[in-house]
Amino acid sequence: MRFPFRRAALTVVLGAVALTAVTAAAPSPEPAREAECHTRVRGSHVTARCYNGNATTDRVQLHVSCAHWWDPAMDTAAVAVGPAARVVLTQRCWLQVRRAWVTHTPG
């Protein structure tokens, strides 16, 4: 009478162990290989400071959208940030900045 209970308990334990083994063996997602950038807007000037803590090179570019229609949007040239390197990107509008962002390209 106790044998079916023991078999059921053993089946549950073995199933839990197998599930844990499958979960542990699953590959973890690849971490982002982009430089970490912080953008600061002061009046009409924008500064982006980027640090690449990865082993691969990242190309960063600062984009600035100005508030007024007659003030053109400005983009910096793409700059390669090597491993453990820092770079500072600057750009400005004539009067006001609507938004600023940094794009990344591997390479």
Side-chain angles (χ1 to χ4, degrees):
M1 209 177 216
R2 288 189 162 177
F3 292 112
F5 176 73
R6 286 185 182 171
R7 284 185 187 169
L10 183 62
T11 303
V12 169
V13 169
L14 290 177
V17 169
L19 182 62
T20 304
V22 169
T23 305
S28 61
E30 182 100 10
R33 299 284 183 200
E34 296 179 345
E36 181 180 340
C37 296
H38 299 279
T39 306
R40 183 178 198 176
V41 178
R42 280 190 157 181
S44 62
H45 296 272
V46 179
T47 303
R49 298 178 189 279
C50 299
Y51 171 72
N52 187 6
N54 301 306
T56 58
T57 301
D58 187 20
R59 294 178 59 81
V60 294
Q61 186 175 14
L62 175 63
H63 306 276
V64 177
S65 177
C66 301
H68 300 288
W69 64 269
W70 45 264
D71 201 356
M74 305 298 286
D75 299 329
T76 63
V79 177
V81 185
R86 296 179 190 274
V87 70
V88 178
L89 305 170
T90 60
Q91 196 55 269
R92 69 181 296 267
C93 292
W94 283 102
L95 288 179
Q96 294 174 327
V97 175
R98 176 175 294 146
R99 67 185 190 127
W101 67 98
V102 176
T103 57
H104 301 266
T105 307

